[in-house]
Amino acid sequence: MSDALPWWRRAVLYEAYLRSFADGDGDGVGDLAGLRSRLPYIERLGVDALWVTPFYPTPDFDHGYDVADYCAVDPRFGTLDEFDEVVADARARGLRLLVDLVPNHTSSRHAWFVNALRDGGHPDRRRYIWAPGRDGGGPPNNWTSGCGGPAWTRDERSGEWYLHLFSPEQPDLDWRNPEVVASFDEVLRFWLDRGVDGFRIDVAHGLLKDEELRDNPPRVGHDDDRSEFLRFEQRHTFDQEGVHDVYRRWRRRVDAYPGDRVLLGEVFLLNPDPARVARYLRPDELHLAFNFHLLAQPWDAARFRASIEATLRELARVPATATWVLSNHDVVRHATRYGGGAAGDARSRAAALVLLALPGTACLYQGEELGLEEVDVPAEARQDPVYRLTGRPGRDGCRVPLPWTAGGEPGYGFTAGTPWLPTPPRWGRRSVEAQERDPASTLHLYREALALRHALGALGDQGFRWLPAPDGCLAFARGDRASLACAVNMGEGEEHLALGGQLVLASGSGVRLDGDRLTLPPSAAAWVATGGDGS
């Protein structure tokens, strides 16, 4: 494998959800000082890059995804000097650093929107999307908010309605306005000049909207009374053709900087079609986009295989690199999605070996290396705007702060104070400290897999082919010389595969390799070195 490949084509990224990662000042909320103190842990884990969620000034209606100033640090999280120290320390440890960019919407307390509300003739008013209501006084169209309810709120002073595809405190920007485009050129330049290695782009598919503000059609066969948002196709709100011009512009600006800076898109379509996602990865657009298609699959070999095949097929046509992911701060943790308890634990460990053996880039969400499950946060402690606006549980359950120490309730080493979301009883059993002492822990499995991924050149972005496997199993070879194979049993009974070589890693006990016969218990995966020099 050539060393000339950009680093991001074979990297493993780690998402640090800042407010839940580590608290350096004891106020119960994670911050830059806490993150900096735990960089040795991230380095030892063996990842290549760190993605840090928003730390900008914010009124905190949506935990930082409502930005009031794109070129500053919220005092709750630290200072610009502390940010610079994180960048420098990360670089000294061989870690790249990506920051979260939120270009679809601002906070309603951003100076632009404050000006827009105060004065209907102010130029900043045109930075947002406004429309008159329909006859009879209703909103301009049937668009719904991802946080619940209509996507429009009426400005009582002017009688016009403003668009917010998420909460009313997150008004959408009008990306057809050249002033918005120029402002974000400056935002990109500000952080690139401070040495960041790239951006994770929030709602990357949503920046442009239908100019005519046409109604969205209902989703056929998706009459889901749990969410009004899911009952409609997002045909006129997301994935508009003009959004690609934004990323062509950004690509030119990012590529002008040295060091292979990267644009990573959150392209989260309701129908996560790999062909539609691939369009964002054309050579002059984004470098990477999360593959949510695999994340959406149940624990089923046929579904996993079909998703992997579709992704690799569509990206090969571009060509582009896949970015595999199983969890993040917006979805139920995959240990719970795969069944929870002992079953979910075994399946999530096996899935980790599949994820890290696939060609391209992978992204881990903090805590998955500890095997953390979704937490049932008490109703009175929930803070997600999805819960506040709809009563649905929301996303707090995957955002509970990390347990670092086996003791020390209620913070378990995350904070000297009280964590911003409550931790469950006996949370310390899953802590970094407890798993450090157990060589069979999930943490040790991730460290071993990541070390092997770096050591074996076969696990870059080259070479992939399926191997014969029984029903309910998957097996594939990696590397141009098939120097490593990954096999997983997603069925209910023990299975045997014809696969020879050396067993180098297993997700659990009971995996055996006898000659050319690999034995896999249910919900187990293995890596087998099958020959070749790994180049």
Side-chain angles (χ1 to χ4, degrees), residues 406-445:
E409 293 186 76
Y412 293 104
F414 162 74
T415 180
T418 301
W420 71 280
L421 283 175
T423 53
R426 298 177 296 280
W427 196 229
R429 294 184 302 178
R430 283 288 188 181
S431 68
V432 173
E433 181 183 40
Q435 297 201 35
E436 291 269 13
R437 298 194 294 255
D438 179 6
S441 69
T442 300
L443 177 58
H444 277 280
L445 176 69

Side-chain angles (χ1 to χ4, degrees), residues 306-366:
S307 178
I308 293 167
E309 286 179 339
T311 297
L312 294 180
R313 179 181 65 249
E314 296 301 333
L315 293 185
R317 292 172 177 168
V318 177
T321 298
T323 303
W324 309 99
V325 59
L326 295 174
S327 281
N328 61 41
H329 65 277
D330 284 329
V331 300
V332 173
R333 286 187 176 273
H334 62 273
T336 298
R337 298 200 316 269
Y338 294 158
D345 185 55
R347 291 170 177 176
S348 64
R349 287 168 61 96
L353 296 196
V354 175
L355 181 86
L356 294 172
L358 289 169
T361 304
C363 187
L364 311 178
Y365 176 48
Q366 66 175 47

Side-chain angles (χ1 to χ4, degrees), residues 116-456:
L117 284 181
R118 184 177 60 241
D119 178 3
H122 196 284
D124 284 347
R125 180 109 172 167
R126 295 191 295 274
R127 290 179 181 267
Y128 298 90
I129 298 174
W130 299 85
R134 284 177 164 167
D135 293 341
N141 60 27
N142 72 346
W143 295 359
T144 53
S145 161
C147 292
W152 299 91
T153 290
R154 189 173 183 271
D155 171 26
E156 296 299 330
R157 177 177 295 182
S158 67
E160 285 194 310
W161 298 69
Y162 70 86
L163 178 68
H164 51 87
L165 291 182
F166 297 94
S167 78
E169 295 84 9
Q170 295 166 293
D172 280 42
L173 288 164
D174 183 358
W175 273 88
R176 302 184 192 279
N177 183 337
E179 292 183 7
V180 171
V181 175
S183 293
F184 275 86
D185 286 347
E186 293 302 314
V187 173
L188 292 175
R189 185 177 299 114
F190 181 87
W191 294 108
L192 289 167
D193 286 347
R194 301 195 88 87
V196 305
D197 294 286
F199 303 90
R200 177 268 186 183
I201 305 163
D202 188 59
V203 197
H205 54 293
L207 274 57
L208 271 290
K209 284 79 175 176
D210 178 56
E211 282 192 277
E212 299 178 31
L213 302 181
R214 288 171 287 185
D215 279 357
N216 278 325
R219 295 179 76 196
V220 177
H222 289 273
D223 187 16
D224 190 336
D225 60 5
R226 295 172 301 170
S227 170
E228 188 178 11
F229 183 77
L230 295 177
R231 293 206 299 269
F232 293 93
E233 298 284 352
Q234 298 302 313
R235 184 178 301 172
H236 300 304
T237 43
F238 291 149
D239 198 27
Q240 302 296 295
E241 188 60 34
V243 76
H244 299 281
D245 291 333
V246 175
Y247 300 128
R248 292 185 183 102
R249 182 184 182 96
W250 287 10
R251 180 67 177 260
R252 291 192 298 270
R253 278 148 179 74
V254 169
D255 283 353
Y257 280 77
D260 292 325
R261 313 293 178 99
V262 65
L263 297 172
L264 168 61
E266 181 201 30
V267 184
F268 203 122
L269 307 178
L270 286 186
N271 176 22
D273 179 0
R276 298 296 299 180
V277 175
R279 298 170 71 252
Y280 289 79
L281 298 172
R282 289 174 287 202
D284 60 346
E285 296 190 43
L286 302 179
H287 301 83
L288 299 170
F290 291 117
N291 174 31
F292 295 120
H293 194 270
L294 184 65
L295 180 152
Q297 305 310 314
W299 183 252
D300 178 89
R303 296 280 294 272
F304 258 57
R305 175 165 178 157
S307 178
I308 293 167
E309 286 179 339
T311 297
L312 294 180
R313 179 181 65 249
E314 296 301 333
L315 293 185
R317 292 172 177 168
V318 177
T321 298
T323 303
W324 309 99
V325 59
L326 295 174
S327 281
N328 61 41
H329 65 277
D330 284 329
V331 300
V332 173
R333 286 187 176 273
H334 62 273
T336 298
R337 298 200 316 269
Y338 294 158
D345 185 55
R347 291 170 177 176
S348 64
R349 287 168 61 96
L353 296 196
V354 175
L355 181 86
L356 294 172
L358 289 169
T361 304
C363 187
L364 311 178
Y365 176 48
Q366 66 175 47
E368 72 175 79
E369 78 278 11
L370 305 177
L372 298 186
E373 290 190 46
E374 192 83 355
V375 175
D376 185 12
V377 176
E380 65 273 13
R382 293 175 187 157
Q383 300 188 33
D384 187 357
V386 171
Y387 176 72
R388 296 200 307 265
L389 294 170
T390 71
R392 300 196 307 273
R395 301 160 292 181
D396 292 320
C398 64
R399 301 175 175 184
V400 173
L402 287 187
W404 290 95
T405 59
E409 293 186 76
Y412 293 104
F414 162 74
T415 180
T418 301
W420 71 280
L421 283 175
T423 53
R426 298 177 296 280
W427 196 229
R429 294 184 302 178
R430 283 288 188 181
S431 68
V432 173
E433 181 183 40
Q435 297 201 35
E436 291 269 13
R437 298 194 294 255
D438 179 6
S441 69
T442 300
L443 177 58
H444 277 280
L445 176 69
Y446 270 77
R447 285 178 176 169
E448 291 176 44
L450 287 164
L452 279 168
R453 180 182 168 102
H454 281 286
L456 297 168

Side-chain angles (χ1 to χ4, degrees), residues 97-108:
L97 189 139
L98 279 65
V99 297
D100 219 319
L101 188 64
V102 189
N104 178 70
H105 48 263
T106 71
S107 165
S108 57

